[in-house]
């Protein structure tokens, strides 16, 4: 059976830098024999978490919008590739809105102690992030936020591809090693027979 890889592009910029890297990573996954699906998060209607805490009783989110169909896709995928630009040292607002809606998964796990959401499934995820500045610190917040989100999603966090000093739209096209790494990591993520690493592999390029 083929591995299903879901790529989530969160940038508001159509065909932006993180988006182009995500597409390369998905091409790498396909070359490794995976089925891939790409989605652009800004095309979905998602509201922010309103902290109603209804999920503390049910384990599901009470807000009705496109989140329910997104969550179904996320949980059905064997592998996730989550791509974001760096905005003010963190993920972009579109990404954060999706992440915060994961509070229902956190409640499922830590409040209701309901156990595995996809029992027996080997789910894994990697992150692609692109920032305009040369500061290495811009990725610190991403690591923590994504670890927390992936813990709630109950997926293994396998890799980070962090690219600095890429600012203007399309500049990533002039960075062949970043595109090559995206392709390679996408292929590696889709490999069914490998074990997930204990902690995420970091690839940081300038
Ligand atoms: C609102 C906003 C905030 C940003 N904040 C940062 C930042 O904190 N650090 C940084 O390195 N780049 C920052 N940038 C630059 C983007 O990360 C950079 O342009 C990146 O290439 C955008 O990726 P994208 O094309 O995938 O959207 C910011 C850009 C915007 C629009």
């Amino acid at each position: 059976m083929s591995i299903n890889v879901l790529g989530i592009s969160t940038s508001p910029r159509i065909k932006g830098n993180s988006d182009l890297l995500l597409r390369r990573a998905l091409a790498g996954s396909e070359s490794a024999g995976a089925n891939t699906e790409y989605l652009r998060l800004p095309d979905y209607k998602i509201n922010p978490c309103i902290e109603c805490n209804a999920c503390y009783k049910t384990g599901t989110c009470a807000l009705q919008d496109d989140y329910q169909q997104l969550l179904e896709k996320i949980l059905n995928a064997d592998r996730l590739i989550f791509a974001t630009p760096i905005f003010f040292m963190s993920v972009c607002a579109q990404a954060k809105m999706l992440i915060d809606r994961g509070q229902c998964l956190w409640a499922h796990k830590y409040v209701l102690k309901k156990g595995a959401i996809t029992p027996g499934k080997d789910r894994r995820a990697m992150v692609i992030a692109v920032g305009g500045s040369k500061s290495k610190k811009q990725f610190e917040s991403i690591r923590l936020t994504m670890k927390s989100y992936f813990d709630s999603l109950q997926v293994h966090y396998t890799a980070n591809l962090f690219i600095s000093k890429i600012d203007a739209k399309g500049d990533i096209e002039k960075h062949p090693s970043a595109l090559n790494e995206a392709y390679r990591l996408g292929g590696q993520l889709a490999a069914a027979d490998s074990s997930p690493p204990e902690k995420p592999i970091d690839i940081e390029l300038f």
Side-chain angles (χ1 to χ4, degrees), residues 1-5 25-36 78-81 122-126 156 158 182-197 201:
M1 267 238 306
S2 286
I3 296 271
N4 294 312
V5 182
L26 289 173
S29 299
E30 268 177 38
S31 76
N35 293 322
T36 63
D78 301 299
R79 305 285 187 267
L80 284 181
I81 309 178
D122 169 22
R123 291 163 47 241
R124 304 182 195 179
M126 66 169 269
H156 293 286
T158 65
Y183 187 87
R184 186 183 69 78
L185 288 171
Q188 201 173 69
L189 185 73
D193 48 356
S194 63
S195 312
I201 296 159

Side-chain angles (χ1 to χ4, degrees), residues 28-46:
S29 299
E30 268 177 38
S31 76
N35 293 322
T36 63
E37 181 178 352
Y38 162 92
L39 70 81
R40 223 189 131 249
L41 193 58
D43 292 341
Y44 289 76
K45 173 99 189 85
I46 305 214

